[in-house]
C-alpha cells in the first residue's frame, strides 16, 4: 500500500469521481472539488455507449484505453451495485452501423484488433431491429457493445466514494487557480479560500484548458457542445443500438430511447436550440420511423472536452511538481474512464501501469501560453 497522501481532485465528472475512487480504495485521502454538482456536465449529458462511435477511426492510443475499459465495465458496474445499491445499468445490446462510407476499414480493423464486428445482410438487421427505417442497404454489427446509464453511474460512484474513509466531496466549489510554492503546486485557490494537498489532479473536462491557462500553460482542451433528445417507448421497443450518418439511437432498459448528437463549437454556451431539436428529430424518424408518433420527453446540451485526435492527457505536468492531468477525453469520457483512471492511479502511486502511458503524457503535448 502506497504511503497516504492528500490528493486534491478538481472536477467531479466521471473521470474525477473514478480517479477519486481508485485512489481512495488504495488508501489515499481524497478531496474532490466540483464547481456545480458532481456529474452534472458532460458525464450526465452523454449517451453512454461503451465504445467510440467509430472505433476504427481512432489512433492506437484511444483503442488501447477503449478495449481495457470495455472489458472492465461489467465488473465495475457489479461492484458499484453491490456496494451502493445503485445499478449503473450496463446494458449489452450490440450496435448496428448502417451505410458506412468506410466499411472496409471497419472490417479490417476488427480482424486486426480481434473484435467481434462483422458484416451482416441488411435483412438480418431488420429482423433483429424490426423498428429500423427502410432506407438502408448495408450493415455491420458488433455484438458485445454495451451502454451504461451515465446519470446512474455518476450517482453510484458518488455513493461509493462517500462510503469510503478519507474522502471529502465539496460541491458548488469553484476553483479559480493553483497555489504554487517554489515551482510546486501545493493546492488550489477557491472562492472559499485555498485547499492544500500533496498532489493536485486536474480532471475538469471542458474547463481544464482555462484552468491550466492560469499557470501560463496552453492545453488544447476546449468545449464542444453536443445536444441530445430523449423519447419514452415500451421497454422492448428497440433491441439494439443503431448508428447512421453520425447519429445514433440508444435503448435504455426501461424503454427510454436516446438520440444524439450534434457537434457544435459554441464556447461554453449550453443552451438547447430549436434547430438542433428539429435536426435530431429528423434523424430519429429516419432511423426509427415509429418515433414520429413518440413524445420527446427530454432535450439537453452538454460540453465535451475537445482535444486533438481525442487522445486524453494523463500524467504529470512538466515544470509543475505535484500537478497532474486526467482530462481531454473529448467524445469518449465514459468509454475510456475505467482505463484512464486506473492508468492514472498506477502513475500517481508508482505501480506498474496497465498499458503504456507514453501516448497520454502531457509532456511535449502542452505549451507555454
Amino acid at each position: 500500500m502506497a504511503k497516504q497522501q492528500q490528493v486534491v481532485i478538481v472536477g467531479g465528472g466521471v473521470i474525477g469521481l473514478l480517479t477519486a475512487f481508485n485512489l481512495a480504495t488504495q488508501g489515499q485521502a481524497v478531496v474532490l472539488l466540483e464547481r456545480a454538482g458532481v456529474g452534472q456536465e458532460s458525464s450526465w449529458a452523454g449517451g453512454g455507449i461503451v465504445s467510440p462511435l467509430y472505433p476504427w477511426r481512432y489512433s492506437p492510443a484511444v483503442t488501447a484505453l477503449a478495449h481495457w475499459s470495455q472489458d472492465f465495465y461489467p465488473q465495475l458496474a457489479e461492484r458499484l451495485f453491490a456496494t451502493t445499491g445503485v445499478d449503473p445499468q450496463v446494458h449489452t445490446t450490440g450496435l448496428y452501423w448502417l451505410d458506412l462510407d468506410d466499411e472496409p476499414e471497419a472490417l479490417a480493423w476488427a480482424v486486426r484488433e480481434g473484435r467481434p464486428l462483422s458484416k451482416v445482410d441488411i435483412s438480418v438487421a431488420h429482423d433483429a431491429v424490426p423498428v429500423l427505417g427502410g432506407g438502408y442497404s448495408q450493415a455491420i454489427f458488433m455484438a458485445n457493445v454495451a451502454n451504461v446509464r451515465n446519470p446512474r453511474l455518476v450517482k453510484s460512484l458518488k455513493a461509493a466514494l462517500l462510503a469510503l474513509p478519507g474522502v471529502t466531496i465539496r460541491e458548488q466549489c469553484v476553483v479559480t487557480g493553483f497555489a504554487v510554492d517554489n515551482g510546486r503546486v501545493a493546492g488550489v485557490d477557491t472562492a472559499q479560500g485555498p485547499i492544500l494537498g500533496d498532489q493536485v489532479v486536474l480532471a475538469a473536462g471542458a474547463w481544464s484548458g482555462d484552468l491550466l491557462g492560469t499557470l501560463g500553460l496552453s492545453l488544447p482542451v476546449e468545449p464542444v457542445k453536443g445536444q441530445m433528445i430523449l423519447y419514452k417507448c415500451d421497454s422492448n421497443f428497440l433491441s439494439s443500438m443503431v448508428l447512421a450518418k453520425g447519429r445514433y439511437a440508444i435503448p435504455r432498459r426501461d424503454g427510454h430511447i436516446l438520440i444524439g448528437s450534434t457537434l457544435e463549437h459554441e464556447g461554453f454556451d449550453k443552451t438547447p436550440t430549436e434547430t438542433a431539436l428539429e435536426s435530431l428529430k429528423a434523424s430519429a424518424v429516419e432511423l426509427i420511423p415509429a418515433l414520429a408518433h413518440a413524445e420527446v420527453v427530454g432535450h439537453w446540451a452538454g460540453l465535451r472536452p475537445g482535444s486533438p485526435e481525442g487522445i486524453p492527457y494523463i500524467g504529470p505536468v512538466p515544470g509543475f511538481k505535484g500537478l497532474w492531468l486526467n482530462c481531454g477525453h473529448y467524445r469518449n469520457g465514459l468509454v475510456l474512464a475505467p482505463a484512464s483512471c486506473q492508468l492514472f492511479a498506477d502513475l500517481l502511486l508508482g505501480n506498474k501501469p496497465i498499458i503504456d502511458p507514453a501516448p497520454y503524457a502531457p509532456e511535449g503535448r502542452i505549451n507555454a501560453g
Side-chain angles (χ1 to χ4, degrees):
M1 188 73 82
K3 168 177 91 68
Q4 187 179 55
Q5 305 184 75
Q6 170 142 308
V7 184
V8 177
I9 298 172
V10 182
V14 74
I15 299 292
L17 289 165
L18 195 49
T19 297
F21 182 75
N22 286 350
L23 293 174
T25 52
Q26 291 295 306
Q28 303 302 297
V30 172
V31 182
L32 182 84
L33 309 176
E34 165 54 46
R35 55 191 285 282
V38 299
Q40 295 301 300
E41 294 290 351
S42 198
S43 301
W44 182 90
I49 301 177
V50 186
S51 167
L53 290 184
Y54 303 98
W56 54 90
R57 296 179 188 171
Y58 282 93
S59 69
V62 172
T63 300
L65 291 172
H67 286 183
W68 196 94
S69 293
Q70 281 165 311
D71 299 339
F72 186 75
Y73 248 114
Q75 69 196 73
L76 173 65
E78 278 170 32
R79 180 181 180 185
L80 289 171
F81 188 17
T83 310
T84 66
V86 180
D87 184 0
Q89 292 188 8
V90 173
H91 185 29
T92 305
T93 63
L95 172 56
Y96 286 92
W97 287 266
L98 307 166
D99 290 2
L100 279 170
D101 293 336
D102 58 350
E103 190 180 272
E105 287 82 350
L107 294 168
W109 170 88
V111 171
R112 198 168 64 241
E113 295 288 340
R115 299 314 269 191
L117 180 150
S118 55
K119 188 167 177 59
V120 295
D121 194 87
I122 195 68
S123 65
V124 172
H126 281 289
D127 289 346
V129 187
V131 292
L132 187 62
Y136 303 104
S137 59
Q138 56 188 49
I140 61 174
F141 180 65
M142 190 147 71
N144 65 345
V145 185
N147 66 76
V148 60
R149 197 153 178 177
N150 31 309
R152 293 181 65 97
L153 173 66
V154 162
K155 193 176 172 187
S156 188
L157 276 168
K158 183 181 179 183
L161 270 175
L162 290 172
L164 287 168
V167 174
T168 307
I169 296 179
R170 291 181 58 174
E171 296 178 288
Q172 316 302 326
C173 180
V174 177
V175 172
T176 54
F178 300 93
V180 183
D181 182 20
N182 286 332
R184 183 181 179 86
V185 172
V188 295
D189 297 319
T190 76
Q192 291 103 315
I195 295 170
L196 302 181
D198 301 301
Q199 310 289 341
V200 175
V201 186
L202 184 55
W207 288 263
S208 300
D210 280 10
L211 273 169
L212 209 57
T214 65
L215 293 176
L217 296 174
S218 175
L219 177 73
V221 173
E222 56 169 16
V224 181
K225 182 175 173 177
Q227 298 189 50
M228 311 273 290
I229 56 174
L230 184 70
Y231 293 92
K232 180 72 173 83
C233 303
D234 292 334
S235 59
N236 56 358
F237 172 76
L238 181 62
S239 55
S240 179
M241 295 181 279
V242 289
L243 194 159
K245 298 184 184 171
R247 296 278 169 88
Y248 51 78
I250 304 172
R252 300 298 198 214
R253 283 187 198 155
D254 65 0
H256 278 102
I257 310 289
L258 278 165
I259 304 287
S261 96
T262 62
L263 274 173
E264 306 165 66
H265 293 266
E266 301 283 346
F268 286 95
D269 173 24
K270 280 197 313 184
T271 317
T273 63
E274 196 63 36
T275 317
L277 177 63
E278 292 312 314
S279 169
L280 289 164
K281 276 183 175 173
S283 294
V285 172
E286 191 177 344
L287 271 172
I288 303 163
L291 289 178
H293 312 293
E295 182 193 356
V296 174
V297 294
H299 172 212
W300 62 86
L303 300 173
R304 308 175 186 87
S307 58
E309 292 185 76
I311 300 171
Y313 298 83
I314 305 170
V317 176
F320 290 90
K321 207 162 166 46
L323 181 60
W324 301 74
L325 301 183
N326 193 359
C327 60
H329 292 75
Y330 197 15
R331 302 192 75 172
N332 295 310
L334 284 152
V335 183
L336 306 180
S340 297
C341 298
Q342 185 58 53
L343 174 61
F344 181 86
D346 291 342
L347 294 171
L348 189 131
L349 298 172
N351 298 333
K352 185 178 188 303
I354 49 161
I355 55 174
D356 177 13
Y360 321 102
E363 189 159 7
R365 297 176 64 213
I366 53 179
N367 309 304

